[in-house]
């Protein structure tokens, strides 16, 4: 098999001609380069089981065991991204990037399709490289050099949780460990980062976990974040990925946002996610 990389519309690349369960070093290097450049890479027709999923992720870095998602019953490394037919809320149903609330935010995540609804359940991605590159001069001047506060408490904590509805939906255990989120300290990161792999500049705030801009009062902070989000959510920086059996996505949490569509009520969707540790961002 010869590896081929095809752009995936406006965001990401599709990588053909590889078996993630049996990957040559040269192909791994090609995947790493495409990942750094495109922000998200997609694979089709893979047959990797849970062990192979974990083995592939270990070749990319150290696995981060998720503190808040329910884990696979036999594989603690695998977080379950699950919605049952009778459930109405989904995981990841708002624009975000994973783990920006960590001191060293995750490098990325590898999501494997396990059970899909007959239609719907796509995932949208937005490029924060493209969003930064197209920032109007006035917003760029405010963003460059600024730092932002990121928190997990309002999302995964016991109070004001965005996932409260999900918990109330029969306390199904998909999201847990609120006590750990309650005691997490906020962290700060630059609003614009230099990507550690590509060297490109990327906008690094997100609507889920970023709570404020350091040094601005609440109104100024809200106004700047809203302006950055309105800009970043322009359709020209977005692309949708439609899952099929055997699909795998590897996204970069530093240069993309993602959003799981919740349009398949009455059907089951189960994906397996492994997150890879990252590094401090500058
Ligand atoms: C996530 O936000 O990690 C899940 C994305 C998805 O289910 O498509």
């Amino acid at each position: 098999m010869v590896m081929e990389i095809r752009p995936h519309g406006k965001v990401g690349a599709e990588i053909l001609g590889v078996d993630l369960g049996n990957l040559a070093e040269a192909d791994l290097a090609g995947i790493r380069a495409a990942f750094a450049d495109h922000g998200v890479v997609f694979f089709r027709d893979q047959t990797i089981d849970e062990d192979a999923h974990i083995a592939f992720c270990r070749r990319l870095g150290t696995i981060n065991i998720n503190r808040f998602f329910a884990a696979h019953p036999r594989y603690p490394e695998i977080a379950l991204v699950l919605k049952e037919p009778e459930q109405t809320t989904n995981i990841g149903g708002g624009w975000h990037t994973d783990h920006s609330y960590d001191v060293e935010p995750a490098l990325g995540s590898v999501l494997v399709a396990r059970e899909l609804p007959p239609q719907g359940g796509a995932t949208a991605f937005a490029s924060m490289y493209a969003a930064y590159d197209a920032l109007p001069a006035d917003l760029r001047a405010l963003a460059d050099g600024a730092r932002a506060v990121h928190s997990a408490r309002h999302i995964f904590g016991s109070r004001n949780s965005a996932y409260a509805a999900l918990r109330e939906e029969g306390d199904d255990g998909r999201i847990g460990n609120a006590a750990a989120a309650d005691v997490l300290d906020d962290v700060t990161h630059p609003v614009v980062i230099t990507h550690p792999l590509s060297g490109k500049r990327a906008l690094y705030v997100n609507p889920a976990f970023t709570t404020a801009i350091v040094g601005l009062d609440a109104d100024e902070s809200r106004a700047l974040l809203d302006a950055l989000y309105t800009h970043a959510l322009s359709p020209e920086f977005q692309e949708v990925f439609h899952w099929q059996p055997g699909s795998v996505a590897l996204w970069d949490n530093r240069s993309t946002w993602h959003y799981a569509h919740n349009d398949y009520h009455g059907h089951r969707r189960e994906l397996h996610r492994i997150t890879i540790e990252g590094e401090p961002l500058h």
Side-chain angles (χ1 to χ4, degrees):
M1 283 198 290
V2 178
M3 189 169 94
E4 190 190 335
I5 299 173
R6 288 188 195 157
H8 176 80
K10 289 165 286 177
V11 185
E14 191 147 336
I15 301 189
L16 297 88
V18 292
D19 172 3
L20 296 180
N22 184 19
L23 200 55
E25 273 306 317
D27 285 345
L28 183 65
I31 290 170
R32 281 182 192 279
F35 165 78
D37 196 26
H38 294 275
V40 54
V41 290
F42 306 105
F43 308 87
R44 298 284 189 193
D45 303 320
Q46 301 295 313
T47 53
I48 53 171
D49 62 10
E50 284 84 349
D51 288 308
H53 184 187
I54 292 169
F56 172 57
C57 291
R58 288 206 173 116
R59 294 179 74 184
L60 295 171
T62 303
I63 291 175
N64 173 293
I65 308 253
N66 195 285
R67 289 158 284 180
F68 307 121
F69 285 26
H72 187 293
R74 294 188 307 286
Y75 297 91
E77 298 91 339
I78 297 175
L80 295 180
V81 178
L82 176 65
K83 184 174 170 234
E84 299 285 3
E86 66 279 8
Q87 294 170 334
T88 56
T89 49
N90 71 335
I91 289 173
W95 284 106
H96 67 287
T97 190
D98 305 331
H99 289 243
S100 73
Y101 48 82
D102 283 336
V103 176
E104 298 189 0
L107 169 149
S109 302
V110 179
L111 193 65
V112 176
R114 295 295 179 200
E115 186 173 343
L116 295 170
Q119 57 202 11
T123 308
F125 291 88
S127 169
M128 293 303 113
Y129 287 146
Y132 177 73
D133 287 346
L135 265 182
D138 56 338
L139 271 183
R140 185 180 291 224
L142 293 169
D144 278 333
R147 294 186 70 84
V149 181
H150 298 249
S151 174
R153 289 198 305 275
H154 62 293
I155 301 284
F156 296 118
S158 56
R159 281 181 297 160
N160 303 324
S161 169
Y163 282 121
L166 194 143
R167 285 202 189 90
E168 279 159 17
E169 219 171 54
D171 194 13
D172 57 31
R174 285 185 289 169
I175 297 288
N177 208 10
D182 286 342
V183 296
L184 264 188
D185 287 334
D186 291 350
V187 300
T188 71
H189 301 296
V191 170
V192 178
I193 59 163
T194 300
H195 192 278
L197 297 176
S198 69
K200 294 195 280 192
R201 305 275 279 161
L203 190 61
Y204 192 72
V205 286
N206 70 90
F209 298 114
T210 309
T211 54
I213 302 286
V214 174
L216 298 188
D217 70 30
D219 289 345
E220 291 169 335
S221 180
R222 190 70 265 151
L224 178 52
L225 286 172
D226 285 348
L228 292 171
Y229 297 156
T230 300
H231 167 79
L233 284 174
S234 163
E236 68 195 277
F237 313 134
Q238 292 178 29
E239 200 61 66
V240 172
F241 180 66
H242 296 280
W243 297 91
Q244 294 163 0
S247 296
V248 177
L250 158 60
W251 67 75
D252 187 322
N253 281 309
R254 290 84 53 99
S255 64
T256 59
W257 293 352
H258 57 281
Y259 170 85
H261 290 189
N262 187 12
D263 56 356
Y264 52 93
H265 300 311
H267 299 282
R268 193 171 194 277
R269 180 181 186 268
E270 178 174 339
L271 285 82
H272 288 180
R273 196 180 96 183
I274 296 181
T275 298
I276 319 288
E277 296 277 13
E279 59 200 275
L281 297 174
H282 305 287

